[in-house]
Amino acid sequence: STHACFRVMRLQGEAVFGLAPVLAALRANRRARLHALFVDERRRQQHKDDSALDAIALAAARVPVHRVDRALLNQLAGNRPHQGVVLDCSPLQPQDWQREYFAPQQKTEQHQHQHKHPTQHHHDHHQNQQQQQQQ
């Protein structure tokens, strides 16, 4: 059945991999879509007290989680070090890269106030278009 998974399991978005980057992506809430979280099926056996994975599982409460073979994680992460976790999510907007990475150090309550209101974001985009037309 694993071979069937290999054909089906293609990323819908981009891969974020490694414990800290995946946790940052889940907590920062800057991705439009979080498609799926892939976890090494053997990681729990190897790490009984796995606080990093516990934190990721908690942050990924609304994300479908797939326990998969390490070979599939290697494939999804392009054979880069993934520490047993790969998140499939929509790409970040360039202006959000720094915000996502630094978000986990902030308290959640403060973080929620920092979200731009959707209309505000649209307004910025509209202004940019106008400026481009004037140039």
Side-chain angles (χ1 to χ4, degrees), residues 99-113:
R99 291 183 199 152
E100 173 174 287
Y101 194 73
F102 294 115
Q105 282 118 13
Q106 299 164 354
K107 290 197 171 65
T108 318
E109 305 85 68
Q110 291 175 332
H111 188 67
Q112 284 166 347
H113 294 303

Side-chain angles (χ1 to χ4, degrees), residues 112-125:
Q112 284 166 347
H113 294 303
Q114 289 174 345
H115 283 318
K116 266 194 172 181
H117 198 272
T119 51
Q120 178 68 39
H121 182 76
H122 178 73
H123 180 67
D124 290 351
H125 180 67

